[in-house]
Amino acid sequence: MISKVFRLHASGALLALLVACAPRATPAVHAQAIPPPAASAVPLSPAAQLARGGARLTAGDYAAAERDFRALAASTQADAAALGLAEIYVTTGRYAEVASLTAPLMAREPGRLAAALWTARARARQGDVDGAERLLVGLKDARARVELGELLLQQGQRAEAERVLMSLVEDYNNDRITESDPDGMTSVGRAAQLLGSAHDANDAFNAAERAGSVSARTLLYRADLFLEKNDPGHAEEVLADILVMNPNQPDALVALARTRLAQALDFDEAERLSERALKVNPRLASAYMVLASIALRDEDLELAEERMRLGLQSNPKDLGLLSMRAAVRFVADDKPGFLAAKAAVFQVNPKYSELYTILSEFADWEHRYDEIIQLTREAVALDPEDGAAYGELGMNLIRVGNDREGVAALSRSFAIDPYNARVFNTLNLYEKAIAHDYVTVEHPPFRIRYRKDEREILERYVPDLLARAWAALQKSYGFVPEVPIGVELYAERENFGVRTGGLPETAIQGVCFGHTIAAMSPKYESFNLGMTLWHELSHVFHIQLSRGRVPRWFTEGLAEYETIVARPEWVREQDPDLYQALRAGRLPQVADMTHAFTRAEELNDVATAYYASSLILGMMVQHYGMSKMTEMLRLWGEGKGTPEVVQTALGHSPVELDQEFHQYLEQRLARYATQFVPERRAGRIETAQANVAKNPNDSRNHLRYALALLQVKQMDAAKAELGKALSLDASNADALFLQAELEAHVAPDRAIVDLRKLIAAGHDGYATEMLLGATLGANDEAASRVAFEAAVRFDPTQAAPEYALADSYGKAGDQLDEIGALTKLAGLEQHEPKVYRRLLRLLDEKQSDPAEAVRVGEAAVYADVNGFTTHLLFGRALARTGDKKRAIFELESALLCDAAPTELVEAHRVLSALYRSAGQLKKAAEHTRIAQKLEQAPAREAAP
């Protein structure tokens, strides 16, 4: 396309780019703010005061900078000071005041250009795009041309915009802009970005930084580039550079809020950053858009509308906010309102296909994948060069099982924009891993994808499990989903992450797209495959019945409930976490329970949200019946809101349902009211620190700050805060417990004394006994066991003391007690293969109750599909009950798993005996022959 910085890259060039764009060639060198001079009776010269004002402006001290600039109104530096004030006004949202300030400068040099730029920026931020455009037309300055090009694109005037933006490229190619010109190269980089050449934009920004540019303008542009290409990690690095220089830069704060949402859906932090930006600039439309998007994800449509209204007051033509208004009407199933909001967007920009990308983002949040496909088809029809829309179309086509069209759409997206990380990663997955390492097999109504080397073992269990789940769920809901249902099992977490979201990082085990399930396979990770697949298949029914409109708390809770019905051991045991959340006021009302997922302070909060939701749905099914749950799904599918759904189906208001649930919880969690439960919730470290500053004499504030510091591994600071807590209140049981916890490894004797004092003072409970047992440890095995047994009595739902007791009993040779502890553990730890293996081994050795061993084996195979020992011992148990057919099946499964030759010998010997007793002498002889060969193999290997 162009000869120097700009160049067309062959698709192979992307192989070097694992994420959107290459990082900056050199790190930014931060400009040092000019410190104010020391206090002096001698007044500053106008030049010095102007410099001080500029330094304060750069550092984000806008009020002080404004005082400096205002003081220069009648000086020789008046024009420069007026331009400084204009920048402050635009930055802080006083847009209407800019024109009167800059008008006198528009007619004279040298301030005319800068005055036009700041006036145009102020007008654009108020929605006066035409007025801004008139000010910029004809200006030769690179900054003016790139901003004019951006305004033209916002109005859908692509051809005119490209002409203006290409003039910057031509200037670079003809050396009118050189790589020693930081502002010029920044403008060239932004022009490249707007023209769709991400790699060249990155190169130009690198050149700008090498030339000395560390301006917020340069860094904001490149942060936007990284966000555009789904690379929030590099965006955060760039934004950190800005906020080091100026912690009050409002556009950077909003961009960082967007980054937090893209990285981790951290709603609280994104909201906090946006509100910080609004304190600087109360009219910043982009901040209101972030806040509106959070409210919409929180299912608070009224708040989303209010936030959009405030933003549109500032800029009634902001395309992002207008698109958000359409998204709210879309989510509300308000078709007339949606069409009107959509028309308002196209009135500003008839070619604004990005509207559909924004709509797709919120349709995805609601599982409305079929509608995303429809929306993105409209986008690419409107703009056949919208690479992002083709990417969304492709991602969602494969989500609903249409791989052929999906990959074609992704390929089209890649051809337009080879620097979209999600598109590149997904194409790479399909063209390399799936094409070579995976196979798709029809098991109607399922279409199952296995990794080829796992197919043989997984195919023995997965189709049967899915068929049983399918039959049970059809009966439960009285509904048959559209088929086929895709079930995809990925051995590698990176591939699973790319398949589900386009990026390799993910912490989940499974996901449902309404027509397709994707999950990890158990090749490299230990987890309960059966529980995961049953849970995700439940979502197929929920999503299709509700047409994707089911709230997250309801679908997650109902899927959890379905797994518990399927197998009672498939239940979470998180009563302590739930009690902590309830005590801390972190548990939302039932109808707003989705907030427990979106507003998680800690990673464990999400698991607690799943657990709380499962209890809500368990209570609802118990009190109202399963048919009412189905009715609620259908009502959501009709477009009704949650309050109406609850009232119509259950005959109660959401408030009454919440009261009912809290009564249920009071009974369930009553045991914690009679024991000491230490404070474990730290909250955000910024909040804890602020609370200490606000009330430094509150011992509890120091304790929570100590807990927060421990979370970020600041041990010395945490100990200091703990000391302050105890100095303020020496009887603070929570602080004393934390002190004992910190002492346990370095001064166990002192910790034991402290814990026994706590118990004597009436602060006994599960946590105290667990810590005491762990601290006593091997030095006093008997006392340690007594403590762990006490912990079990305080809370029989927790696995930790049963682990400790099983280990203690095992060391002591108390086989019956060890079996008892492991049996309880097997009911609590559904994801842990080692528990099942040890229990099966002990039951095999005991051989007194083969039926119990079979019951354990039936649960164990789903947690240990690839476990040789589990299949072997389960098969032996089945053989002892006389179930030869199933015994042979399990032993054949064992032979498909990794095992040592001596272990394989045992499996072949047992199989030989089983086949012989079944009259299948040929197969018996074959397994005998293999066993003999394996027994002789080591000797042959050792021979010279």
Side-chain angles (χ1 to χ4, degrees):
M1 173 168 120
I2 303 167
S3 58
K4 290 173 66 182
V5 171
F6 291 78
R7 53 195 178 273
L8 286 177
H9 296 276
S11 60
L14 191 59
L15 297 177
L17 289 167
L18 301 180
V19 288
C21 300
R24 291 169 288 170
T26 54
V29 179
H30 300 306
Q32 297 297 315
I34 301 172
S40 170
V42 179
L44 293 175
S45 68
Q49 191 160 20
L50 182 69
R52 186 175 71 177
R56 286 170 164 173
L57 174 56
T58 299
D61 189 351
Y62 302 117
E66 185 171 344
R67 288 194 299 271
D68 278 330
F69 293 144
R70 287 194 179 281
L72 296 169
S75 74
T76 56
Q77 301 295 334
D79 285 1
L83 290 173
L85 283 172
E87 182 175 351
I88 291 172
Y89 287 176
V90 171
T91 304
T92 58
R94 288 176 279 174
Y95 308 133
E97 300 177 39
V98 173
S100 60
L101 185 69
T102 56
L105 306 179
M106 300 285 280
R108 60 178 182 265
E109 298 294 350
R112 186 174 72 84
L113 171 63
L117 279 170
W118 286 113
T119 309
R121 290 165 183 163
R123 288 186 174 176
R125 290 195 176 207
Q126 294 177 90
D128 182 7
V129 181
D130 291 338
E133 185 180 328
R134 285 193 298 272
L135 285 164
L136 297 174
V137 167
L139 295 179
K140 301 299 183 186
D141 180 79
R143 292 168 299 175
R145 281 182 286 161
V146 80
E147 292 183 30
L148 175 60
E150 196 156 358
L151 288 174
L152 291 167
L153 286 173
Q154 288 173 16
Q155 298 172 82
Q157 300 176 40
R158 178 176 293 167
E160 295 87 339
E162 288 181 353
R163 178 181 54 77
V164 172
L165 295 170
M166 283 298 296
S167 73
L168 289 158
V169 176
E170 291 162 4
D171 280 358
Y172 172 74
N173 285 332
N174 294 314
D175 292 324
R176 289 190 290 271
I177 295 176
T178 67
E179 294 193 8
S180 63
D181 175 1
D183 283 343
M185 291 309 299
T186 294
S187 296
V188 168
R190 182 61 168 177
Q193 181 183 354
L194 296 172
L195 288 165
S197 185
H199 190 284
D200 297 319
N202 197 59
D203 283 352
F205 292 142
N206 283 338
E209 291 195 29
R210 285 195 299 271
S213 177
V214 289
S215 71
R217 175 174 176 259
T218 305
L219 299 177
L220 279 168
Y221 282 160
R222 80 179 305 155
D224 184 66
L225 174 65
F226 286 127
L227 282 172
E228 179 185 293
K229 302 305 174 189
N230 299 299
D231 184 2
H234 282 113
E236 183 174 6
E237 291 176 12
V238 174
L239 294 167
D241 288 346
I242 300 173
L243 294 171
V244 165
M245 295 185 290
N246 179 355
N248 300 315
Q249 216 298 326
D251 294 311
L253 290 168
V254 173
L256 187 56
R258 291 171 55 209
T259 302
R260 291 282 189 262
L261 289 176
Q263 283 177 316
L265 288 175
D266 189 342
F267 286 24
D268 285 339
E269 180 67 0
E271 199 164 62
R272 186 184 69 83
L273 288 163
S274 299
E275 287 169 350
R276 269 184 62 193
L278 287 172
K279 285 181 180 178
V280 178
N281 182 349
R283 305 191 67 200
L284 191 60
S286 58
Y288 286 111
M289 181 171 175
V290 171
L291 292 172
S293 74
I294 292 170
L296 185 52
R297 286 190 178 97
D298 271 342
E299 300 171 7
D300 192 337
L301 273 60
E302 187 176 330
L303 180 58
E305 288 277 13
E306 173 61 15
R307 286 171 166 176
M308 285 184 296
R309 185 187 66 79
L310 291 170
L312 289 168
Q313 279 182 349
S314 299
N315 184 353
K317 292 187 177 180
D318 185 90
L319 286 165
L321 284 168
L322 291 170
S323 299
M324 278 297 305
R325 175 167 285 172
V328 171
R329 293 300 94 212
F330 173 84
V331 169
D333 282 308
D334 173 10
K335 189 170 183 180
F338 171 61
L339 292 174
K342 189 175 167 183
V345 174
F346 291 135
Q347 188 175 359
V348 175
N349 181 349
K351 298 291 186 182
Y352 193 65
S353 59
E354 190 176 339
L355 162 67
Y356 295 104
T357 306
I358 293 170
L359 291 170
S360 298
E361 180 182 346
F362 295 98
D364 178 271
W365 188 253
E366 290 213 326
H367 319 290
R368 292 161 70 167
Y369 307 110
D370 292 329
E371 289 170 90
I372 297 174
I373 291 169
Q374 179 184 338
L375 291 166
T376 48
R377 287 195 194 282
E378 290 183 48
V380 298
L382 180 66
D383 182 0
E385 296 302 310
D386 188 338
Y390 271 111
E392 284 299 316
L393 175 59
M395 295 290 288
N396 285 283
L397 283 166
I398 64 174
R399 283 175 170 177
V400 301
N402 189 344
D403 287 1
R404 183 182 61 80
E405 283 191 52
V407 170
L410 290 170
S411 297
R412 174 65 179 148
S413 173
F414 182 79
I416 296 168
D417 175 10
Y419 297 102
N420 184 314
R422 293 173 69 229
V423 169
F424 169 68
N425 290 336
T426 307
L427 277 175
N428 207 37
L429 171 68
Y430 271 82
E431 292 172 358
K432 293 185 176 180
I434 290 176
H436 297 98
D437 301 330
Y438 284 82
V439 61
T440 299
V441 183
E442 298 290 338
H443 291 281
F446 302 104
R447 181 178 292 146
I448 307 177
R449 176 175 291 153
Y450 306 101
R451 190 167 130 149
K452 290 177 182 177
D453 59 359
E454 286 191 290
R455 174 184 174 180
E456 196 171 4
I457 183 68
L458 292 179
E459 208 161 21
R460 298 173 70 83
Y461 296 92
V462 170
D464 174 69
L465 173 85
L466 290 170
R468 287 187 286 110
W470 184 252
L473 293 167
Q474 282 187 66
K475 182 178 179 181
S476 184
Y477 295 100
F479 170 73
V480 182
E482 293 180 13
V483 296
I485 303 299
V487 179
E488 304 175 10
L489 301 172
Y490 292 92
E492 312 85 357
R493 180 152 290 279
E494 180 177 315
N495 285 340
F496 173 62
V498 170
R499 173 61 182 87
T500 55
L503 299 173
E505 299 84 9
T506 184
I508 59 177
Q509 294 297 146
V511 66
C512 175
F513 297 115
H515 298 276
T516 305
I517 294 167
M520 288 294 296
S521 80
K523 185 172 182 66
Y524 300 122
E525 295 187 13
S526 293
F527 69 98
N528 194 303
L529 180 63
M531 180 181 176
T532 299
L533 291 178
W534 203 294
H535 178 108
E536 298 304 334
L537 187 59
S538 299
H539 286 323
V540 170
F541 287 77
H542 308 158
I543 291 170
Q544 290 199 26
L545 261 172
S546 70
R547 296 172 54 239
R549 288 146 176 85
V550 57
R552 186 172 181 186
W553 66 270
F554 191 92
T555 185
E556 296 298 355
L558 197 50
E560 291 282 293
Y561 170 79
E562 293 290 3
T563 61
I564 298 167
V565 171
R567 294 201 64 91
E569 74 271 9
W570 288 352
V571 62
R572 298 176 189 265
E573 291 84 16
Q574 291 183 271
D575 280 355
D577 297 320
L578 184 58
Y579 179 77
Q580 290 275 5
L582 189 65
R583 184 170 69 173
R586 292 281 307 171
L587 199 65
Q589 290 194 342
V590 169
D592 296 325
M593 190 56 66
T594 295
H595 291 199
F597 294 89
T598 60
R599 299 308 181 106
E601 285 183 336
E602 305 165 7
L603 183 60
N604 193 52
D605 286 351
V606 176
T608 306
Y610 274 89
Y611 183 61
S613 299
S614 74
L615 294 184
I616 293 168
L617 268 296
M619 179 204 75
M620 290 169 66
V621 174
Q622 179 184 341
H623 292 185
Y624 302 99
M626 190 65 198
S627 63
K628 290 295 184 182
M629 307 304 104
T630 303
E631 182 183 351
M632 292 176 76
L633 289 168
R634 292 187 188 278
L635 288 169
W636 273 307
E638 293 170 8
K640 292 179 170 56
T642 295
E644 185 179 0
V645 169
V646 172
Q647 185 70 55
T648 302
L650 306 183
H652 292 298
S653 69
V655 172
E656 291 170 324
L657 181 62
D658 188 65
Q659 291 170 348
E660 186 179 0
F661 180 58
H662 275 74
Q663 290 171 2
Y664 173 84
L665 280 186
E666 282 180 16
Q667 295 176 8
R668 183 182 181 89
L669 304 177
R671 65 189 181 277
Y672 297 117
T674 57
Q675 61 177 285
F676 169 62
V677 180
E679 179 71 63
R680 309 306 290 163
R681 292 200 63 86
R684 294 184 180 275
I685 192 167
E686 300 89 353
T687 304
Q689 187 175 24
N691 287 339
V692 165
K694 185 177 179 180
N695 190 350
N697 295 319
D698 189 329
S699 173
R700 293 169 300 176
N701 285 343
H702 289 283
L703 169 71
R704 288 171 187 149
Y705 189 25
L707 289 167
L709 288 164
L710 285 173
Q711 285 187 339
V712 295
K713 304 188 185 316
Q714 295 187 30
M715 180 65 73
D716 291 341
K719 287 180 178 178
E721 287 302 316
L722 178 59
K724 292 175 185 176
L726 287 168
S727 69
L728 290 165
D729 181 3
S731 64
N732 184 326
D734 295 304
L736 289 167
F737 179 84
L738 180 59
Q739 178 175 266
E741 200 169 33
L742 295 177
E743 290 173 340
H745 297 295
V746 294
D749 292 342
R750 194 160 65 230
I752 291 166
V753 170
D754 288 345
L755 288 166
R756 286 183 167 146
K757 284 181 180 177
L758 270 175
I759 293 170
H763 301 298
D764 201 2
Y766 169 82
T768 316
E769 295 290 352
M770 270 304 300
L771 183 56
L772 178 60
T775 309
L776 286 163
N779 292 329
D780 192 340
E781 192 75 45
S784 174
R785 189 183 298 181
V786 168
F788 290 134
E789 289 168 346
V792 171
R793 289 193 298 274
F794 275 114
D795 197 342
T797 70
Q798 298 306 293
E802 298 292 1
Y803 271 116
L805 287 169
D807 183 61
S808 176
Y809 296 142
K811 288 177 180 175
D814 298 336
Q815 193 177 72
L816 287 176
D817 284 337
E818 185 182 2
I819 288 173
L822 288 169
T823 300
K824 292 177 184 176
L825 265 179
L828 299 172
E829 288 286 89
Q830 65 270 23
H831 295 289
E832 183 46 71
K834 292 179 182 178
V835 171
Y836 288 114
R837 291 175 196 163
R838 176 62 179 164
L839 178 54
L840 283 169
R841 178 67 71 189
L842 289 173
L843 292 172
D844 183 70
E845 292 170 0
K846 190 167 176 282
Q847 293 196 4
S848 61
D849 190 358
E852 172 64 8
V854 167
R855 187 191 66 78
V856 173
E858 287 172 340
V861 290
Y862 296 114
D864 199 19
V865 177
N866 290 323
F868 171 87
T869 300
T870 291
H871 292 295
L872 172 68
L873 296 173
F874 184 21
R876 286 167 61 94
L878 287 163
R880 289 200 303 274
T881 66
D883 192 342
K884 295 177 184 177
K885 183 178 179 181
R886 290 177 68 199
I888 289 171
F889 181 88
E890 288 302 324
L891 286 157
E892 287 177 339
S893 294
L895 294 177
L896 296 173
C897 303
D898 292 335
T902 53
E903 293 175 315
L904 292 172
V905 167
E906 181 183 4
H908 283 290
R909 291 290 187 195
V910 177
L911 265 173
S912 177
L914 282 167
Y915 277 124
R916 187 173 294 107
S917 67
Q920 298 184 51
L921 300 182
K922 187 175 180 179
K923 286 188 176 181
E926 177 65 14
H927 283 286
T928 297
R929 185 187 65 77
I930 295 172
Q932 290 172 344
K933 186 176 180 180
L934 286 168
E935 286 175 325
Q936 295 166 6
R940 285 200 304 270
E941 289 169 5

